[in-house]
Amino acid sequence: MRAFAALYTALDESNATRDKVEAMLEYFRAAAPANAAWAVHVLTGGKLKRLVRSSDLRDWLSQSSGYPAWLVDETYAHVGDLAETITLLTRRGETYDEIAELPLHEWIEEVLQPLTRLTPAEQGERVRRWWSQLPRDQVFVLCKLLTGSLRVGVSQRLVVQALAKLTEIPGERIAHRLTGTFVPTATAWTALVAVL
């Protein structure tokens, strides 16, 4: 998820359309097909089902940070974004676990989606551990994915521009291929960028 978190940061910090397209282009050039497919899904507004409740995240933040619940709630009210509040208040180590190196598709398919089969206590144990094992930018993206609220600040049109530039396929054809339901798989990515 390191590369996707870096992409998210680059997109969030830029107001220039050209810079956003270039950041996506750089990401897609380096990404494995399954990661690229999930990135397209998220960047074009696709969401994950909410995996955990926001109230549980606030409780886990209080437990992991040592801050009382009222202070977490006050900070959240002031910051206005739960993922940002968690990112600011979580304590993390000096070094990061190998989980920080997992690719985006593994995070989503093998780590996050199975959370729905766990009890809230089991979810909390895992999520708190991840907060301590990940760099700040990945904690932010993780929390956005957990709540299904990752909004990137790029339009589908910009994603299409980046993909058209990557593949040299006309943007209209890329946009047409994205029409309907795009299922984020390596196969779907291959079909999306195939030169026919």
Side-chain angles (χ1 to χ4, degrees):
M1 187 164 57
R2 180 183 303 277
F4 185 74
L7 171 62
Y8 181 90
T9 300
L11 295 173
D12 189 51
E13 291 177 351
S14 177
N15 290 327
T17 298
R18 194 184 104 232
D19 292 345
K20 290 184 179 202
V21 169
E22 287 300 317
M24 287 185 284
L25 184 58
E26 182 180 327
Y27 176 86
F28 289 130
R29 279 185 180 137
N35 295 328
W38 274 108
V40 166
H41 177 75
V42 171
L43 293 172
T44 57
K47 294 181 177 37
L48 297 179
K49 177 185 166 195
R50 179 182 293 222
L51 301 168
V52 297
R53 296 182 312 196
S54 297
S55 59
D56 287 339
L57 287 171
R58 289 195 305 273
D59 291 343
W60 302 335
L61 176 57
S62 181
Q63 294 164 12
S64 67
S65 67
Y67 296 121
W70 69 265
L71 184 56
V72 168
D73 290 341
E74 286 293 319
T75 305
Y76 174 42
H78 181 72
V79 172
D81 182 273
L82 183 57
E84 188 172 347
T85 303
I86 292 167
T87 303
L88 292 170
L89 296 182
T90 51
R91 297 180 181 158
R92 51 189 64 71
E94 295 293 318
T95 58
Y96 303 114
D97 195 271
E98 65 262 3
I99 200 164
E101 300 302 324
L102 285 180
L104 180 63
H105 80 278
E106 285 184 33
W107 260 105
I108 293 172
E109 296 167 12
E110 299 172 23
V111 178
L112 297 181
Q113 290 179 334
L115 283 175
T116 59
R117 297 189 296 270
L118 302 178
T119 67
E122 292 168 327
Q123 290 175 341
E125 182 181 326
R126 290 188 187 192
V127 171
R128 288 192 309 268
R129 186 175 67 243
W130 297 334
W131 289 342
S132 69
Q133 295 172 333
L134 294 172
R136 186 174 301 278
D137 62 337
Q138 290 185 47
V139 169
F140 182 81
V141 171
L142 168 65
C143 292
K144 290 294 192 178
L145 291 171
L146 285 170
T147 59
S149 64
L150 184 66
R151 292 174 191 83
V152 185
V154 295
S155 64
Q156 182 166 330
R157 182 183 58 79
L158 287 185
V159 177
V160 167
Q161 280 182 10
L163 294 173
K165 194 169 185 180
L166 173 74
T167 62
E168 297 182 5
I169 297 171
E172 301 80 29
R173 187 174 299 158
I174 296 284
H176 179 71
R177 291 177 182 179
L178 284 171
T179 305
T181 304
F182 178 79
V183 179
T185 64
T187 302
W189 168 258
T190 302
L192 178 65
V193 298
V195 180
L196 300 176

